[in-house]
Amino acid sequence: MFCKRCGVELKDGTSLCVSCGRAYEIETTQTSKYYFVEPKMIQGVKLLLEGLNKVYPRLNLESEHLKQTPTRVARMFIELCSGLGEDPARHLLTSFEESNYQGIVLIKDIQFQSLCVHHFAIFRGTAHVAYIPDEKVVGLSKINRVVETYAARPQIQEQLTHQVATAIYNHLHPKGVAVVIEGTHDCIEVRGVRSKGSTTKTSEMLGVFKDNYKGCKDEFMELIK
């Protein structure tokens, strides 16, 4: 196997190019994607394992299972943080004129996973996003894309909720936007307090939803039950 960037042969079955740092491959049903792996990330994971070995000497750093772990962890975080390299608002650039519809557009039960910026542990859950158009609508899947892209960044749930709502409000200019996110956090469930089944709910209401104009907020909350 050869590096797709510089052509150097990858020795001993490794997926890391010693020349340019690029090197692993993600197989999908359609194509193979190649990413640059920052060598500092790999070295950082190695240092973490060495430090963990100081705390718990039973960790066998020579284990065959740990041989490629630093590279695997590095590429995992590159994948989980891919939203840092994208502008979520690009999904809202193409809209359609629709002057007749005056009701709520709701995209419910959008599944997501993200990274807690405090511990870099996973949090996952469901987002409910609604807006009331002001003569402009967007393809329904684009709302899912906005949530997906913002979620692929290290952050807190409150920030994710705010980002999704303000992006839609600022780019579609609707009469109002409502976002409710329900999440479970590994930093709560698997460490620290270790509270299983604890759910965090956050919401952001903008425009007419904030004022509950003509009961639109009440209608939204009823729809997502």
Side-chain angles (χ1 to χ4, degrees):
M1 180 177 177
F2 295 86
C3 176
K4 299 298 180 180
R5 168 172 287 183
C6 64
V8 172
E9 185 177 3
L10 305 179
K11 302 292 186 179
D12 301 323
T14 181
S15 59
L16 176 67
C17 176
V18 295
S19 175
C20 71
R22 166 171 260 168
Y24 69 87
E25 176 179 300
I26 295 180
E27 294 289 346
T28 68
T29 56
Q30 297 177 331
T31 185
S32 296
K33 297 181 180 179
Y34 296 89
Y35 296 85
F36 174 75
V37 184
E38 171 56 53
K40 286 185 178 180
M41 295 177 66
I42 298 172
Q43 183 61 31
V45 179
K46 289 180 179 178
L47 291 173
L48 177 64
L49 292 174
E50 290 172 6
L52 189 60
N53 181 248
K54 294 291 185 181
V55 178
Y56 298 114
R58 285 194 177 93
L59 180 65
N60 179 13
L61 296 180
E62 303 302 320
S63 168
E64 184 69 21
H65 297 291
L66 287 176
K67 184 177 180 180
Q68 291 297 318
T69 294
T71 300
R72 294 189 193 102
V73 173
R75 72 192 190 198
M76 177 187 71
F77 279 109
I78 289 173
E79 183 178 350
L80 291 176
C81 297
S82 61
L84 292 170
E86 295 185 53
D87 179 8
R90 70 183 179 87
H91 300 297
L92 303 172
L93 294 178
T94 301
S95 59
F96 308 94
E97 298 297 325
E98 179 52 71
S99 59
N100 295 324
Y101 187 77
Q102 303 294 320
I104 293 175
V105 179
L106 169 64
I107 301 88
K108 185 181 176 184
D109 298 327
I110 303 171
Q111 303 299 310
F112 74 90
Q113 68 174 24
S114 190
L115 274 180
C116 164
V117 71
H118 296 149
H119 302 96
F120 265 50
I122 294 288
F123 71 93
R124 60 184 64 79
T126 304
H128 312 294
V129 182
Y131 70 99
I132 298 178
D134 189 7
E135 300 187 354
K136 185 186 295 186
V137 296
V138 71
L140 296 178
S141 67
K142 304 305 182 183
I143 301 298
N144 298 61
R145 292 293 188 187
V146 170
V147 174
E148 179 185 62
T149 306
Y150 274 121
R153 297 178 174 186
Q155 64 202 313
I156 58 176
Q157 184 175 319
E158 296 91 331
Q159 183 181 20
L160 175 60
T161 308
H162 174 74
Q163 288 174 331
V164 171
T166 54
I168 296 170
Y169 195 69
N170 291 338
H171 289 83
L172 291 185
H173 306 292
K175 295 175 181 177
V177 176
V179 178
V180 170
I181 292 181
E182 306 173 49
T184 57
H185 295 246
D186 283 356
C187 60
I188 294 176
E189 292 196 340
V190 303
R191 58 158 300 282
V193 69
R194 297 186 182 182
S195 179
K196 299 292 184 182
S198 176
T199 302
T200 300
K201 294 187 178 184
T202 51
S203 69
E204 182 93 6
M205 305 289 165
L206 301 176
V208 294
F209 283 103
K210 186 173 183 179
D211 301 326
N212 197 22
Y213 179 69
K214 292 187 177 181
C216 60
K217 178 180 176 181
D218 295 336
E219 181 182 353
F220 167 70
M221 297 305 291
E222 182 66 26
L223 287 171
I224 66 174
K225 281 184 179 179

